[in-house]
Amino acid sequence: MNCYAITVRRWWAVPGALVLLVLLCLAAGASEVPVPSLAGGMVGARLEYFTPVLVVIAVMYCMDRRLRETERTAVIPVWRLDRGAVILTVALAHGAGALVGMDVARNLTLLLALALLVRRAVNEAAAAGAAMALLIGTLVTGRTYEPGGSSTHTWWALPLYPAGSAPAWLITIAVFALALLMTNSRD
């Protein structure tokens, strides 16, 4: 199964995507891009906000590569290999979060969980697109303004929560656990 994970599934692409995530986050720093908001005007979004999508795309790429005949006759079910690789990806992301910010690690976990759930219902391409759609939709519709005029996030916009928000972490962990439970019956 180790050869299968390396040559067919190509799980080696995920650590490369994580290194790219760290490099892009460190290079971008506090750079922002303007994003329209339904609350009015343009708001800025840090470039590092979008970097978790790179890792989600890499994971979906690896999960899309398969040899069905080989997987049917494998001694160890391939979904176990996939589940282990996804858990390792999240663990490595949290290690990288120490360098780039734990909000990036939390968002990566949330987006990966969403992608796994969408993959279960549709396919890998739609799963990666759903992750990007969540980020953009959250930026466009998830911001509000306080009476003092400062920008804040709505209660449902989890990717916009600060890194130390316990409710955002708990919801992310719950969604990730649900996604892991559902990964074994897709293939």
Side-chain angles (χ1 to χ4, degrees):
M1 285 316 289
N2 290 337
C3 289
Y4 187 82
I6 293 170
T7 57
V8 176
R9 289 287 191 169
R10 297 187 181 174
W11 279 110
W12 51 264
V14 175
L18 282 166
V19 168
L20 182 62
L21 175 138
V22 170
L23 293 175
L24 286 174
C25 286
L26 294 176
S31 300
E32 291 189 354
V33 293
V35 178
S37 173
L38 288 182
M42 299 289 272
V43 294
R46 292 183 327 211
L47 285 175
E48 68 183 21
Y49 177 79
F50 296 101
T51 56
V53 174
L54 297 171
V55 179
V56 171
I57 290 171
V59 169
M60 290 300 115
Y61 165 76
C62 294
M63 293 181 93
D64 187 36
R65 301 185 51 80
R66 63 177 65 101
L67 296 173
R68 293 190 192 278
E69 296 79 22
T70 305
E71 291 181 16
R72 284 189 196 119
T73 59
V75 174
I76 299 172
V78 176
W79 63 264
R80 287 188 182 174
L81 171 72
D82 291 342
R83 182 184 289 174
V86 167
I87 291 170
L88 181 61
T89 299
V90 169
L92 291 173
H94 283 77
L99 295 172
V100 298
M102 291 307 285
D103 56 337
V104 174
R106 184 201 60 226
N107 287 347
L108 190 146
T109 305
L110 179 67
L111 294 177
L112 189 54
L114 172 70
L116 289 171
L117 292 171
V118 171
R119 176 184 179 264
R120 169 103 168 95
V122 187
N123 63 20
E124 287 80 5
M132 188 63 165
L134 176 70
L135 285 180
I136 293 172
T138 301
L139 282 174
V140 172
T141 62
R143 298 204 183 212
T144 60
Y145 291 99
E146 293 180 345
S150 62
S151 176
T152 187
H153 54 78
T154 57
W155 63 270
W156 57 265
L158 290 179
L160 297 177
Y161 276 61
S165 172
W169 277 103
L170 290 173
I171 292 170
T172 298
I173 290 169
V175 173
F176 185 67
L178 175 67
L180 284 179
L181 288 174
M182 296 183 72
T183 56
N184 64 343
S185 58
R186 164 92 172 26
D187 297 324

